[in-house]
């Protein structure tokens, strides 16, 4: 038997087709409680997938470390760009 179709509101972003994207975005909850709930669900999914596992590896922690390196580079990019054109002689 075929599964009944999932309503557009309950679909995950990866399951939404490109033509349905504006409608799906309009159905999201943009209140502060809805945004906090979405961030919490995302954190819980990340934690359960990469950190809270039986046979854990370095995948989740290395992803956090890599994101920290990228964010700190973005924060200091203007200083690095400014120093790039200086001549030290």
């Amino acid at each position: 038997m075929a599964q009944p179709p999932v309503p557009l509101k309950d679909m995950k972003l990866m399951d939404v087709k490109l033509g349905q994207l504006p409608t799906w975005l309009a159905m999201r909850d943009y209140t502060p409680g809805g945004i906090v709930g979405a961030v919490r669900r995302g954190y819980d999914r990340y934690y359960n997938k990469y950190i809270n596992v039986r046979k854990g590896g370095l995948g989740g922690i290395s992803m956090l470390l890599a994101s920290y390196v990228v964010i700190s580079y973005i924060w200091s990019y203007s200083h690095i760009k400014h120093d790039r054109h200086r001549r030290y002689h």
Side-chain angles (χ1 to χ4, degrees), residues 4-77:
V6 177
L8 185 61
K9 184 178 181 181
D10 297 334
M11 282 186 164
K12 294 180 182 176
L13 178 61
M14 295 301 292
D15 297 333
V16 176
K17 292 188 172 41
L18 193 57
Q20 298 172 331
L21 188 61
T23 308
W24 183 82
L25 286 172
M27 291 182 180
R28 298 291 98 199
D29 185 11
Y30 293 109
T31 62
I35 293 171
V36 168
V39 170
R40 182 174 292 145
R41 283 191 308 274
Y43 173 77
D44 288 342
R45 285 183 65 200
Y46 172 81
Y47 184 80
N48 289 328
K49 186 173 183 179
Y50 293 108
I51 306 297
N52 191 21
V53 293
R54 286 187 193 209
K55 291 172 68 176
L58 294 176
I61 296 174
S62 64
M63 283 175 41
L64 285 175
L65 182 62
S67 62
Y68 172 73
V69 168
V70 168
I71 288 172
S72 63
Y73 178 77
I74 290 170
W75 284 335
S76 64
Y77 180 74

